[in-house]
Amino acid sequence: MSALAYASSRNGAPAVSLSEAIEQGLAPDGGLYMPTTLPTVDVAAFAGLSSLPEIARGALRGFFEGDRLLPFLGDILEAAFNFEAPTTPVLGTPDRLFALELYHGPTAAFKDFGARFLAESLQRLEAGTARPLTILVATSGDTGGAVAAAFHLRRWVRVVVLYPKGLVSPRQEQQLTCWGDNVISLRIDGSFDDCQRLVKEAFVDVKLALKHRFSSANSINIGRLLPQMAYYVASSLEVERRTGAKASYIIPAGNLGNAFAAVWARTLGFPVGRIVLAHNINRTVPDYLQSGDWQPRASIPTLASAMDVGNPSNMERLRTLYPTIALMREQLSAVSVDDATIRARIGEDFMHYGREWCPHTATAAEVYSRLSPEERRAHPWVLVATAHPAKFNEIVEPIIGKPVDVPASLARLLRLPRHFMDLPPTLQAVAAALE
Ligand SMILES: *Cc1c(COP(=O)(O)O)cnc(C)c1O
């Protein structure tokens, strides 16, 4: 078999191998890497598989065809996916409703899957190199913590996290700053957009490029996107086993990386029905599906802060699959939910189902509640639970009127001392901090 090639979504850069796409993060023409063909998968062959690493291996191996990482794929997955992603029934409803719990990893959000997979992959590609890699991450809250946790104490890499001062939750901030060693946390006096701009400026700065070997760990990196497919594959097979029907997913969405993974799982032939995107009031995608006009804008801070994205970068990947608005509308729908409704939904679902949702997951629960009773009954639905509510205790606890239990891995991080630097939002300040 010849190697599967990866091309830029903007068609302005040569195709590369998967390893090269993972190492580069962004293509040189500013586009996002995509496989030039989609591998075929024999869905029936998954019938006997039950562990997440096994299922992931079956789903991902075609994407690794001919790549130098292929021989390590099994080991990478065993090391990265050492926690569960259960699909659990939501009790107390007559409908077939489930939650896909993606918050059982070390930093209690789904970003752990992609970050840990990326770290294990780069470990195999980079460990012997003399010049350490510098991974720059702009974060609105969860990405930075997951990436820092995944790369902490790996000697061939340095992680530099940029986060907006005052715009992440107190426990998120703790997870961004509790590392030290090879992790540098920069608290930027600005917005998430400023952090993202600084990362992009650093990438293209000629002087900095002479001193540092930069890479990225945001969801523009295909090494974060691919592994996220695994839990949709496992979950959809599980729901099909339990109900005999295809599962439809409601996904809290920001940069569309998680949603894109669900789209891929469905495209490969796994039993995924409808895919509905739940956005906060950053409504670029719902507006686009309605009007057909793509109008990126500045992000607005909300309670579901990890979804505060005004210009979702993975739309560029979605367009390569669904090039016309008509096709996109057939395959996806999107709804926007405001902060007051997020609060109300957290309270309602705790009262009715005894479920504690984080503000992001609550957007999906709200979108579900707005479906017609016929739609709710037509097939099983799965709410994608993207973060543990304990990460957002200052929002959730006053609403449900009780403390949220803290998972053990999160509790450990909350006890560690913080290390960070306060910086103005300028490239000069970031460059100095990199010294
Ligand atoms: C990152 C994040 C999202 C949004 O995911 P995208 O892949 O950016 O669409 C939703 N919920 C939580 C908790 C997150 O951390």
Side-chain angles (χ1 to χ4, degrees), residues 37-59:
T37 59
L38 266 190
T40 52
V41 175
D42 176 12
V43 176
F46 286 70
L49 305 183
S50 59
S51 88
L52 189 61
E54 264 181 343
I55 291 172
R57 192 176 178 178

Side-chain angles (χ1 to χ4, degrees), residues 55-358:
I55 291 172
R57 192 176 178 178
L60 294 182
R61 72 172 302 125
F63 289 88
F64 283 71
E65 196 59 60
D67 191 80
R68 63 193 165 116
L69 280 174
L70 179 63
F72 307 109
L73 181 59
D75 292 344
I76 290 172
L77 288 164
E78 289 290 341
F81 293 180
N82 63 350
F83 54 93
E84 304 284 317
T87 300
T88 59
V90 176
L91 302 174
T93 132
D95 310 324
R96 293 167 293 174
L97 179 62
F98 299 86
L100 170 54
E101 299 177 7
L102 300 180
Y103 49 68
H104 297 289
T107 67
F110 81 89
K111 306 282 197 321
D112 283 324
F113 289 94
R116 291 173 63 81
F117 183 89
L118 185 64
E120 293 296 337
S121 298
L122 285 173
Q123 171 87 31
R124 269 83 183 170
L125 297 172
E126 293 291 327
T129 55
R131 251 181 111 199
L133 208 60
T134 297
I135 295 192
L136 292 177
V137 205
T139 186
S140 58
D142 287 330
T143 294
V147 169
F151 287 90
H152 185 224
L153 297 179
R154 293 185 196 255
R155 259 184 270 158
W156 45 270
V157 65
R158 212 159 53 128
V159 175
V160 181
V161 177
L162 290 79
Y163 70 96
K165 182 177 178 177
L167 296 177
V168 303
S169 88
R171 282 188 178 169
Q172 280 180 318
E173 181 161 23
Q174 173 68 21
Q175 287 177 299
L176 294 171
T177 56
C178 69
W179 306 100
D181 302 303
N182 63 333
V183 177
I184 300 170
S185 307
L186 306 179
R187 184 163 78 169
I188 304 293
D189 195 2
S191 65
F192 170 63
D193 295 335
D194 288 321
C195 296
Q196 216 161 20
R197 170 182 55 79
L198 289 168
V199 166
K200 285 186 184 150
E201 286 177 8
F203 263 96
V204 298
D205 188 89
V206 181
K207 269 192 284 172
L208 284 176
L210 289 175
K211 287 195 190 145
H212 309 284
R213 207 156 61 89
F214 288 129
S215 185
S216 116
N218 284 90
S219 66
I220 51 173
N221 193 315
I222 191 132
R224 271 197 43 198
L225 222 54
L226 281 171
Q228 292 175 173
M229 222 176 8
Y231 46 75
Y232 289 107
V233 171
S235 167
S236 65
L237 292 169
E238 156 103 9
V239 171
E240 191 183 47
R241 258 196 307 273
R242 291 169 78 136
T243 67
K246 280 186 184 179
S248 290
Y249 288 84
I250 308 178
I251 306 174
N255 227 353
L256 299 172
N258 200 7
F260 189 83
V263 166
W264 248 348
R266 181 172 65 185
T267 311
L268 288 180
F270 291 99
V272 173
R274 284 183 56 192
I275 296 175
V276 183
L277 312 177
H279 289 266
N280 57 28
I281 54 163
N282 291 280
R283 37 179 311 132
T284 307
V285 176
D287 286 352
Y288 172 59
L289 287 178
Q290 195 162 47
S291 70
D293 255 347
W294 179 246
Q295 300 223 328
R297 52 202 86 158
S299 61
I300 306 164
T302 75
L303 293 174
S305 53
M307 294 154 49
D308 294 347
V309 182
N311 186 7
S313 39
N314 283 297
M315 180 52 87
E316 202 164 318
R317 283 198 170 103
L318 278 175
R319 283 218 193 83
T320 66
L321 294 182
Y322 310 135
T324 67
I325 183 75
L327 213 48
M328 184 111 42
R329 282 178 182 142
E330 265 171 38
Q331 301 290 336
L332 292 172
S333 46
V335 179
S336 159
V337 178
D338 67 24
D339 275 0
T341 314
I342 288 175
R343 284 186 204 276
R345 180 52 49 195
I346 292 173
E348 287 265 315
D349 284 10
F350 178 67
M351 206 155 68
H352 290 125
Y353 307 137
R355 284 288 190 141
E356 299 168 5
W357 305 133
C358 81

